[in-house]
Amino acid sequence: MSHGCGRTRWKRFALVLVPSTAAAAALGIGMAQGALAASFFISGERFQFAADTLTTRGTSIYGMVDVTREGRHVPVVVTGARHATIEGLCESVAVEIPVLGLYTLRITGGDRAEARDIFIDATTLTAGQATLNNLDVGVAAGSITEGPIAPGDRNSGFFDPNGFAQQATSATLTDVRVNAVAISAATLSVPDLRVTVRQGSHRCF
């Protein structure tokens, strides 16, 4: 998986605290076998992404396999958007530090964060309400036109152009809760950004 330049690298702060120990997700997504899916490797650590409201224009949803440095395969569902507005942004990852115990890295933003060409690689995604406009369900992944496909994903041996995918011209999701292994964006603008590392559990949800 390669989502190009501008990758949001905040989660790498967690690697300073403790090595990743998460195992690959056991999701039943049928993927082609082939070359490594990434020009960079994910840590494999799950983290949380939450938003009060996520509004997208040009939306794509397709299956993919991310790869850790140890070569473990992590099946994910990628949600991509040409443009996204995020209200009530929160990202968090909790790690156990030897001797010190549990610490949480948490990032929050102001009322209206905006992203261009954003990709969320998730093991689970839930929303209190989801409204998708001009929805196509069952489109071949290689035929997606409304939303983006990450160039590195499209060229990967793990990307199946005939695989099941969805697309929509726009979407609005409320009370968004995501367990993710990677988020990337060409640009991400976050007002009132706050980054904290606190002892104990201070997850987004």
Side-chain angles (χ1 to χ4, degrees), residues 33-200:
Q33 297 298 311
L36 285 179
S39 61
F40 62 88
F41 297 105
I42 64 168
S43 74
E45 189 79 28
R46 271 74 172 168
F47 63 96
Q48 294 182 339
F49 169 88
D52 295 336
T53 304
L54 174 63
T55 304
T56 65
R57 296 198 307 267
T59 306
S60 58
I61 303 172
Y62 59 94
M64 194 58 202
V65 176
D66 292 350
V67 182
T68 69
R69 285 184 61 87
E70 294 81 9
R72 290 178 292 167
H73 295 166
V74 183
V76 294
V77 175
V78 180
T79 299
R82 300 193 189 282
H83 181 271
T85 301
I86 307 164
E87 298 180 9
L89 170 68
C90 180
E91 297 179 357
S92 67
V93 60
V95 294
E96 284 284 349
I97 304 175
V99 181
L100 297 180
L102 183 69
Y103 274 73
T104 303
L105 171 66
R106 182 180 171 114
I107 292 181
T108 56
D111 290 338
R112 188 182 176 89
E114 295 194 30
R116 179 175 60 84
D117 289 336
I118 185 171
F119 298 90
I120 302 172
D121 293 20
T123 56
T124 63
L125 185 155
T126 63
Q129 175 68 40
T131 302
L132 295 93
N133 299 309
N134 300 313
L135 174 66
D136 293 324
V137 179
V139 63
S143 298
I144 288 176
T145 56
E146 295 294 345
I149 300 285
D153 287 355
R154 190 181 293 277
N155 297 328
S156 167
F158 289 107
F159 181 76
D160 182 2
N162 299 313
F164 184 92
Q166 302 180 48
Q167 64 179 357
T169 56
S170 62
T172 301
L173 290 78
T174 60
D175 298 325
V176 179
R177 303 289 183 266
V178 181
N179 288 302
V181 295
I183 296 178
S184 61
T187 60
L188 176 63
S189 175
V190 183
D192 301 321
L193 177 68
R194 185 182 183 193
V195 181
T196 61
V197 177
R198 296 175 60 190
Q199 187 174 19

